[in-house]
Amino acid sequence: FVVKRILKDTMANAMLVKDLAEVAKDTALLHGVQIRVHESPNSSEVVTYAPITLFPSPVPKSAFYQALAVQVHYNTLVDKISQDADFLQKALARYLRSSGLSLTWGSQLISLWFPHFPSIVLGLNRSDYMLDQKNEGCPTLKQIEINTFAASFAGLTSHTPHVHRHILKVAGCVEESQRILDNNSAAGLAEAIAKAWELYGSKRAIVMFLVEENQINIFDQRCIENELWKRNISTKRKRFRDVSKTGSLDPDRKLFVDGQEVAVVYFRNGYMPQNYQSEQDWQARLLMERSLAVKCPDIGTHLAGTKKVQQVLSQPGVLEKFFPEQPQVVEQIRSTFAGLYTLDMGPEGDKTIEMALRTPGLFVLKPQREGGGNNLYGAELQQVLQEVKGSEERMAYILMDKIHPTPVQNILLKRDAPLKISTCLCELGVFGTYVRKGREMVLNKCAGHLLRTKSSEHADGGVAAGVAVLDNPLLL
C-alpha cells in the first residue's frame, strides 16, 4: 500500500520522480552501493551506482522469516552432500558425461575430486526463492536454486538498506522506513572466513580471493575484504594465471602464492567452463584443491550445488537419507521445493519431455550454468527439447515447474535508462555460512538476505547479467 501510494504521487509529479531518483543514486554512491564500469577497452575505469530500485518492494513477513529459518538446514544439507561420494557419483555420473556441460568441463571437475575430504570446510552459500502465487491463498516460498560457489552481493546488499530508508524519509514515509531491516551480510560472510582462517592456524597466512581478469563487481568483494582487514586478516586478490605462475606446495602441502602462505582460497571465479581458458588454469585449480588451504568451495561443495543434485533431492526418501529421524527438518526443506523432474534416459525422462512439450508454459528448462540468463522458457524450451529428446544431451538439463510470483510495481534505476514505472518480479536470496573441522560443525548461521527485482518482461537473468537490480524487502 505504501509503495503504491508513493508511486501514485510520483506518476502525478515527474519532477518528484527525477528528484527522488537523483537522491537515490547519490545515496547509493555515498554508501558504497557501486560497481565498476568499463567504458571501452582503452578507456579509464569509472565507477557508478549499482542498479537499484527506487523504492523497497513489499515482501510477506511470514515467508521472509521462513526463508531465514530454513537456511541453517540447507547449510547442513550441502555439507552432508559434499561428503557423500557415493551419492554425488550416482547423481552426477550420467549428467556430467552429457555434452551439455561439455565433456571437458564435466570430466575435469570429477578428476579434481579426491577420495579424501578436507579437514576444514568453509561454506558460503545463498539459497534463492520466489513467492509462488499459482494457487489461491497465501503465496508460498519456492526455491529457485542454491548457490554454493561465489554467491555474490553480500557486500553491496549490506549497504542498500541505507538507501531505501533515506528515500522513504525524503518521500515522507518516516515510519515505513523503520520496517527495512539491517542486513550486514558482508560481516556474516567475513565471520565464517575468519573462523576458517583461525582454524588453519597460521597468523602469517593470507586469505586469497581468486578473481576474474576484469572484475565489474569488485566493490561487492571489497566489502568482505574490508571486514577481514578489520579483524587484522590479510587478503590478496589473485587470478588463475597468478597461481599458475607463482603457486607451489611445500612438503606439508601448504599452499604458497607469490611466496605467501595461503590459509583460505575464496573462489569468486571458476564456476563456468569459460572461466578456464587453458590447461594451466585447470592445473592451478588442481594445485589449490590438493593443498591444505581451506577452499571455498571445495570440489565436493561445488558439485553439491549443481542443478541435477537439486532435482535428485526432490525425489521421495532422499532428504530422509540426510536427516534420519528428523521429520520436521525434512518437512521444512521439502516445503520450499518446486516441482522438479528428471530428463534421464528411460521412461521417466520420456514422460517428462512429453509433459513439457505439451504444456511448455508451465515449466522452466534449466542447464548447468551459473551467472543468470541461461534458463529456457516457452518456444525456446520446446525447440531445445525437440533437438535433444532422443540423445543423452538431454541429461544436461533438468525441468522445473514455473513459479508465478505476484507482480509489484517499482522504478528500476539503471545507468542511462529512462525513469519509468515497471511491473516487476522479486527474488529473495538468503546467505548461509558454515565452518566444519573434522566432524564438528563449529559455525552454522543464516548470514543475511538479498532481494533482487527485475521487470516482468524478462523471463530470466540476474544483476550480473544486466537484467535484475538490487532491492530491499519492505516487510508486510
Side-chain angles (χ1 to χ4, degrees):
F1 173 80
V2 172
V3 175
K4 286 182 178 179
R5 174 166 61 79
I6 297 173
L7 288 171
K8 183 179 180 181
D9 292 342
T10 58
M11 288 174 69
N13 190 339
M15 186 59 67
L16 177 60
V17 175
K18 184 177 179 181
D19 289 346
L20 285 174
E22 288 304 312
V23 171
K25 295 172 185 177
D26 292 344
T27 306
L29 286 170
L30 177 66
H31 286 284
V33 185
Q34 53 198 21
I35 57 173
R36 178 177 288 170
V37 178
H38 299 272
E39 295 286 354
S40 71
N42 298 318
S43 72
S44 299
E45 295 171 339
V46 297
V47 171
T48 188
Y49 65 95
I52 191 171
T53 57
L54 182 54
F55 302 108
S57 294
V59 172
K61 187 182 295 185
S62 59
F64 176 81
Y65 284 110
Q66 178 191 359
L68 266 56
V70 77
Q71 186 58 45
V72 292
H73 301 316
Y74 269 115
N75 293 343
T76 301
L77 178 60
V78 169
D79 185 49
K80 288 186 174 184
I81 292 170
S82 73
Q83 301 174 70
D84 195 327
D86 184 60
F87 173 81
L88 279 174
Q89 287 171 343
K90 287 180 179 177
L92 297 174
R94 287 182 293 175
Y95 187 55
L96 289 175
R97 278 203 308 270
S98 63
S99 59
L101 275 181
S102 90
L103 291 172
T104 301
W105 174 242
S107 61
Q108 288 279 31
L109 283 177
I110 289 293
S111 71
L112 293 180
W113 192 26
F114 294 95
H116 72 268
F117 299 103
S119 59
I120 303 172
V121 173
L122 167 64
L124 307 179
N125 60 59
R126 194 189 70 228
S127 188
D128 294 334
Y129 306 91
M130 280 185 167
L131 295 175
D132 192 6
Q133 193 67 64
K134 183 163 46 181
N135 302 316
E136 294 184 4
C138 295
T140 55
L141 189 75
K142 295 300 176 186
Q143 188 187 59
I144 305 298
E145 63 183 354
I146 189 163
N147 303 273
T148 64
F149 197 125
S152 59
F153 295 111
L156 295 190
T157 201
S158 298
H159 299 281
T160 56
H162 301 291
V163 179
H164 282 138
R165 283 185 189 134
H166 186 60
I167 289 301
L168 288 179
K169 290 176 183 177
V170 173
C173 300
V174 176
E175 183 179 344
E176 288 79 5
S177 71
Q178 298 171 3
R179 290 167 139 179
I180 298 176
L181 301 179
D182 287 334
N183 183 28
N184 204 345
S185 305
L189 267 61
E191 177 190 17
I193 296 172
K195 174 58 71 173
W197 175 86
E198 176 189 324
L199 292 173
Y200 179 83
S202 173
K203 292 186 177 181
R204 296 189 306 273
I206 65 169
V207 173
M208 184 175 77
F209 283 57
L210 199 287
V211 298
E212 298 175 84
E213 288 291 330
N214 298 309
Q215 186 65 64
I216 295 174
N217 197 24
I218 188 172
F219 298 106
D220 183 52
Q221 299 166 16
R222 291 294 194 193
C223 291
I224 301 171
E225 288 184 59
N226 289 341
E227 291 291 339
L228 291 169
W229 280 105
K230 288 178 185 178
R231 297 167 178 265
N232 298 317
I233 298 174
S234 300
T235 70
K236 293 288 185 181
R237 300 172 62 82
K238 299 295 180 181
R239 296 164 177 80
F240 275 121
R241 57 180 168 83
D242 299 320
V243 178
S244 179
K245 289 179 180 178
T246 69
S248 64
L249 302 184
D250 74 3
D252 296 322
R253 292 195 297 117
K254 293 179 180 178
L255 174 64
F256 290 83
V257 177
D258 278 341
Q260 291 184 296
E261 184 178 357
V262 178
V264 178
V265 179
Y266 178 30
F267 287 95
R268 291 299 294 249
N269 185 30
Y271 51 87
M272 294 188 290
Q274 56 266 39
N275 296 150
Y276 299 85
Q277 296 292 315
S278 66
E279 180 60 28
Q280 285 72 33
D281 291 345
W282 280 110
Q283 290 301 315
R285 179 77 187 268
L286 176 63
L287 181 76
M288 291 182 282
E289 195 66 27
R290 282 178 169 167
S291 75
L292 286 181
V294 181
K295 279 76 65 177
C296 182
D298 58 74
I299 288 290
T301 306
H302 183 174
L303 295 173
T306 56
K307 305 295 190 296
K308 183 60 180 177
V309 166
Q310 182 187 11
Q311 181 264 309
V312 172
L313 287 172
S314 70
Q315 295 174 349
V318 176
L319 282 178
E320 287 80 354
K321 165 184 167 61
F322 294 105
F323 296 98
E325 301 180 3
Q326 292 180 275
Q328 291 182 331
V329 173
V330 169
E331 179 53 35
Q332 278 186 268
I333 296 174
R334 184 166 285 143
S335 68
T336 67
F337 286 169
L340 292 153
Y341 312 93
T342 182
L343 290 171
D344 286 352
M345 305 302 290
E348 189 177 358
D350 293 341
K351 183 179 178 181
T352 298
I353 289 178
E354 181 183 343
M355 176 177 67
L357 291 175
R358 185 171 61 249
T359 53
L362 299 180
F363 303 102
V364 181
L365 189 63
K366 304 180 76 170
Q368 180 52 50
R369 288 289 185 271
E370 304 298 337
N374 301 300
N375 296 336
L376 301 170
Y377 304 80
E380 283 187 310
L381 178 153
Q382 282 183 304
Q383 179 183 345
V384 171
L385 282 183
Q386 287 285 7
E387 292 173 355
V388 304
K389 66 179 183 179
S391 73
E392 290 190 349
E393 289 185 41
R394 76 190 204 186
M395 296 190 299
Y397 301 86
I398 65 166
L399 192 75
M400 188 177 87
D401 284 344
K402 187 177 180 181
I403 297 171
H404 297 82
T406 303
V408 299
Q409 286 192 312
N410 214 320
I411 296 173
L412 308 182
L413 301 182
K414 298 182 179 182
R415 187 168 177 262
D416 299 328
L419 293 175
K420 65 176 183 177
I421 296 176
S422 301
T423 300
C424 303
L425 306 175
C426 300
E427 184 172 327
L428 174 67
V430 178
F431 292 99
T433 60
Y434 62 91
V435 178
R436 176 173 50 80
K437 183 175 183 180
R439 295 183 178 275
E440 180 188 2
M441 188 72 82
V442 296
L443 183 150
N444 184 359
K445 290 186 177 182
C446 170
H449 59 273
L450 162 70
L451 193 69
R452 289 168 295 173
T453 296
K454 64 184 177 184
S455 171
S456 60
E457 65 184 354
H458 296 290
D460 190 35
V463 178
V467 174
V469 306
L470 301 175
D471 199 347
N472 272 296
L474 184 68
L475 297 183
L476 302 176

